[in-house]
Amino acid sequence: MLLETFCDCGFADHGLSWGLRFLGYEGVEVINPEGGKEDAEEEAQRGRWKKEERDSYWKMMQKYIGADVTSLVTLPVVIFEPMTMLQKMAELMEYSYLLDQADESQDPYMRLVYATSWAISVYYAYQRTWKPFNPILGETYEMVNHGGVSFLAEQVSHHPPMSAGHAENEHFTYDVTSKLKTKFLGNSVDVYPVGRTRVVLKRDGVMLDLVPPPTKVNNLIFGRTWVDSPGEMVMTNLTTGDKAVLYFQPCGWFGAGRYEIDGYVYNAAEEPKVLMTGKWNESMSYQPCDLEGEPLPGTELKEVFRVADVPKDDKYQYTYFAHKINSFSTVPRKLLASDSRLRPDRYALEKGDLSKAGFEKSRLEEMQRAEKRTREADGQPFKPRWFDLTDEVVPTPWGDLEVYRYSSRYSQHRAVDGSQDAASENEDVETTEFNPWQFGLSSSD
């Protein structure tokens, strides 16, 4: 949801609109990189906010400027998409074949080319500006039937909001502990990925560590909302010391630099070996280079990854894979009742019933508070079912992180309850009642 026409930002009186037409830039995509309140009223009205809702929300949100609003604010369902953060984590698996290629490659630098392209591939999905639902504590998301990959994520903490995920196929394992940190800036919000992502390539046991760039969501209330991720992405081979460092260009006026990524794969001596360039909304390419970072003579730029075709005019800008994530075609047999697909607020929003979605969202949030009161009254601390809190605390560029580890309990559960193969079409899993609660609610609640 970008600013697709240039804004009446008060500059027309100074001749900007006329000047752009004169210079041959009529219809150019104009983006205000500051994302300020001065964006056009017309553009604001074309967004998702009604004027009276927007003005009221703006007054309420001003007190949070400078704060981490990850879990402080109750947001209206009109700005949500019918997906949870746990499902959004699974979108990183769309181009998992790139990790398969990394595992199969015998070239240590090409391994990083493939693996880094995989990490970049999800940014096309991340440009969506609809907000996913915050998972309920204990909520899960499971996915099978995609390239041999099985995926599981669980909400392991409510305050602060933290999720843990695990994916695996014959070529790799993927483990992540995610704790987002935000800073509300009025009409924009900075999102810092306080997390740890580890990928192990099974053939040689190579371990990769990923540090993504921060993200900025611009024009939250005034103007057209759009997303930018300026900064460095670093993928390190912890086994060899090689690494890839890619720079996401910040978006400037008129969209200059938007989507562009450039960088290098370095050996352990920090010498450039492969240059990488492209746009995260289109494709990535690579070329061997010399110690000065210049392309080697006789080589050519080769494409390693290209964004797949997407549905046209999709309401939520979903890819085909995003729809697959939301469907029941990717559920394992005997789907956990805590699965995100079963959430009544998410399902109501998917069906276009905003009134019911808002009601169910409030009901689930109150049930979450009630279960917390029950647990605390009984002196029962919450414990994730499928992940364990380790003693490991790792530093990140945005703060320390407690690390969760995938537990073998899930594999044991599946071994008892049935195959991880996709559920049969005859199984009516959609009628399962959503239930992430580990402790029953007291009768007084």
Side-chain angles (χ1 to χ4, degrees):
M1 296 179 66
L2 303 175
L3 291 173
E4 296 173 347
T5 59
F6 56 86
C7 303
D8 178 13
C9 298
F11 295 113
D13 293 338
H14 299 283
L16 176 60
S17 176
W18 176 87
L20 289 172
R21 291 196 297 271
F22 179 77
L23 292 171
Y25 288 99
E26 185 171 8
V28 71
E29 176 184 75
V30 175
I31 294 177
N32 175 0
E34 301 301 324
K37 185 178 176 181
E38 70 277 6
D39 285 313
E41 182 71 15
E42 179 184 354
E43 287 297 321
Q45 290 175 348
R46 290 176 59 185
R48 67 196 73 178
W49 293 99
K50 295 180 180 178
K51 184 179 186 303
E52 59 274 15
E53 292 176 343
R54 183 202 65 202
D55 293 345
S56 173
Y57 207 72
W58 172 249
K59 291 178 182 177
M60 185 193 77
M61 292 296 290
Q62 289 186 74
K63 65 183 178 181
Y64 293 109
I65 291 177
D68 185 344
V69 293
T70 308
S71 57
L72 286 178
V73 184
T74 299
L75 298 170
V77 75
V78 69
I79 69 169
F80 282 74
E81 62 176 318
M83 183 181 286
T84 71
M85 279 298 299
L86 298 180
Q87 293 173 282
K88 206 168 181 78
M89 289 169 63
E91 290 197 76
L92 194 51
M93 290 297 112
E94 177 168 7
Y95 299 92
S96 59
Y97 70 85
L98 290 166
L99 288 182
D100 297 347
Q101 292 176 316
D103 182 54
E104 293 169 346
S105 177
Q106 298 185 20
D107 185 321
Y109 309 124
M110 283 305 301
R111 282 177 175 169
L112 282 171
V113 169
Y114 289 123
T116 308
S117 297
W118 161 78
I120 291 168
S121 68
V122 78
Y123 278 82
Y124 184 86
Y126 283 178
Q127 72 178 318
R128 296 196 307 264
T129 57
W130 304 94
K131 185 190 183 303
F133 286 94
N134 289 338
I136 300 294
L137 185 63
E139 185 175 331
T140 59
Y141 176 75
E142 300 175 88
M143 182 185 71
V144 297
N145 197 28
H146 171 69
V149 175
S150 60
F151 177 92
L152 172 70
E154 181 177 10
Q155 189 72 359
V156 295
S157 173
H158 183 56
H159 290 297
M162 294 183 66
S163 309
H166 175 83
E168 188 168 358
N169 70 0
E170 63 179 328
H171 289 287
F172 68 86
T173 61
Y174 158 86
D175 290 279
V176 61
T177 300
S178 175
K179 180 173 72 174
L180 294 182
K181 179 179 179 181
T182 64
K183 186 175 182 180
F184 181 64
L185 301 173
N187 198 34
S188 64
V189 62
D190 288 341
V191 182
Y192 306 100
V194 186
R196 189 182 78 168
T197 299
R198 291 284 171 85
V199 174
V200 175
L201 303 178
K202 289 186 174 181
R203 192 186 68 171
D204 294 331
V206 167
M207 180 179 289
L208 307 176
D209 177 83
L210 172 68
V211 179
T215 292
K216 189 180 188 71
V217 184
N218 301 277
N219 296 350
L220 284 173
I221 302 172
F222 296 92
R224 275 299 178 90
T225 307
W226 58 283
V227 180
D228 201 17
S229 296
E232 283 187 346
M233 170 184 283
V234 181
M235 176 80 78
T236 304
N237 184 330
L238 298 177
T239 305
T240 65
D242 304 331
K243 65 180 178 181
V245 181
L246 300 181
Y247 184 66
F248 286 57
Q249 299 288 343
C251 177
W253 280 96
F254 313 122
R258 182 160 169 77
Y259 312 117
E260 294 180 6
I261 303 175
D262 297 285
Y264 294 93
V265 174
Y266 299 89
N267 63 16
E270 298 189 354
E271 299 168 330
K273 304 299 291 186
V274 182
L275 67 85
M276 296 183 66
T277 185
K279 293 184 175 182
W280 53 257
N281 69 327
E282 293 180 5
S283 65
M284 289 297 298
S285 298
Y286 70 95
Q287 188 171 2
C289 66
D290 60 24
L291 295 182
E292 302 299 321
E294 297 298 324
L296 288 177
T299 65
E300 60 182 15
L301 200 64
K302 294 183 179 180
E303 186 175 280
V304 65
F305 149 78
R306 176 167 289 276
V307 171
D309 291 338
V310 299
K312 292 182 179 180
D313 302 321
D314 191 90
K315 179 177 180 180
Y316 293 105
Q317 298 175 296
Y318 277 6
T319 63
Y320 289 109
F321 183 69
H323 284 289
K324 186 177 180 180
I325 283 175
N326 246 357
S327 78
F328 286 86
S329 66
T330 53
V331 303
R333 291 191 174 95
K334 297 186 178 179
L335 179 68
L336 295 172
S338 50
D339 194 87
S340 296
R341 299 177 188 83
L342 302 173
R343 284 183 60 145
D345 52 356
R346 186 213 65 80
Y347 186 75
L349 183 61
E350 185 177 30
K351 297 303 180 183
D353 192 338
L354 269 67
S355 178
K356 184 175 181 181
F359 170 80
E360 293 291 354
K361 177 176 177 290
S362 297
R363 185 176 68 87
L364 289 178
E365 290 168 349
E366 178 50 40
M367 290 177 71
Q368 179 167 235
R369 289 188 285 268
E371 196 231 16
K372 179 182 178 181
R373 291 193 295 269
T374 300
R375 280 191 286 105
E376 291 179 345
D378 294 343
Q380 296 281 359
F382 173 82
K383 291 184 179 180
R385 293 181 67 188
W386 313 116
F387 294 83
D388 294 321
L389 179 62
T390 69
D391 294 329
E392 189 175 5
V393 178
V394 298
T396 78
W398 305 283
D400 291 342
L401 175 74
E402 306 83 4
V403 176
Y404 284 80
R405 179 175 53 232
Y406 176 69
S407 168
S408 61
R409 291 189 298 274
Y410 181 76
S411 298
Q412 294 167 0
H413 163 77
R414 281 292 164 218
V416 172
D417 280 1
S419 168
Q420 278 191 311
D421 293 339
S424 166
E425 292 182 1
N426 297 324
E427 295 182 49
D428 192 10
V429 294
E430 296 183 47
T431 61
T432 304
E433 183 178 356
F434 178 64
N435 183 15
W437 324 114
Q438 293 186 16
F439 298 86
L441 304 181
S442 68
S443 57
S444 61
D445 293 320

